[in-house]
């Protein structure tokens, strides 16, 4: 992964990794341990999963917007480069 010059985007990338790992852990625990019969524990887990999914969605939007604005062409052959609109692309990202 490329290092981000924008600390906000870097923070969101780290949060994505952390929150996805937490969601994976909850799902894994559900299958290895089983589902609790306690209604409070079930509600707490559902609320925690919903909160983590919301955080993941928000971070994905921030990172996706940044990647869309700072995206460079991946191919370097002449035909691929001739189809790119260079007017909208800046090497330094959005200003």
């Amino acid at each position: 992964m490329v290092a981000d010059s924008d600390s906000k985007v870097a923070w969101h990338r780290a949060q994505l990794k952390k929150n996805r790992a937490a969601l994976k852990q909850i799902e894994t625990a559900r299958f290895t341990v089983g589902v609790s019969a306690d209604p409070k524990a079930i509600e707490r887990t559902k609320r925690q999963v919903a909160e983590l999914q919301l955080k993941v969605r928000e971070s994905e939007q921030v990172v996706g917007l940044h990647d869309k604005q700072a995206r460079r062409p991946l191919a370097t052959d002449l035909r691929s480069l001739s189809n790119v609109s260079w007017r909208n692309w800046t090497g330094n990202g959005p200003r």
Side-chain angles (χ1 to χ4, degrees), residues 30-94:
R30 178 191 278 169
F31 290 108
T32 57
V33 177
V35 179
S36 174
D38 182 20
K40 289 182 182 178
I42 293 171
E43 187 61 35
R44 190 175 341 125
T45 302
K46 284 182 181 180
R47 195 175 8 190
Q48 188 178 20
V49 167
E51 182 181 322
L52 286 170
Q53 287 175 338
L54 179 65
K55 288 179 180 180
V56 165
R57 199 173 312 118
E58 289 173 355
S59 291
E60 284 175 341
Q61 288 175 350
V62 170
V63 171
L65 181 64
H66 174 266
D67 287 348
K68 185 187 287 186
Q69 291 175 347
R71 193 151 129 216
R72 298 178 304 175
L74 299 176
T76 57
D77 63 336
L78 183 59
R79 191 169 76 191
S80 297
L81 294 176
S82 65
N83 294 330
V84 174
S85 173
W86 292 94
R87 180 172 31 127
N88 299 329
W89 181 75
T90 63
N92 297 328

Side-chain angles (χ1 to χ4, degrees), residues 16-27:
L16 269 173
K17 186 176 181 180
K18 182 184 88 169
N19 291 332
R20 285 179 178 160
L23 278 171
K24 184 177 178 181
Q25 181 184 14
I26 290 170
E27 290 296 320

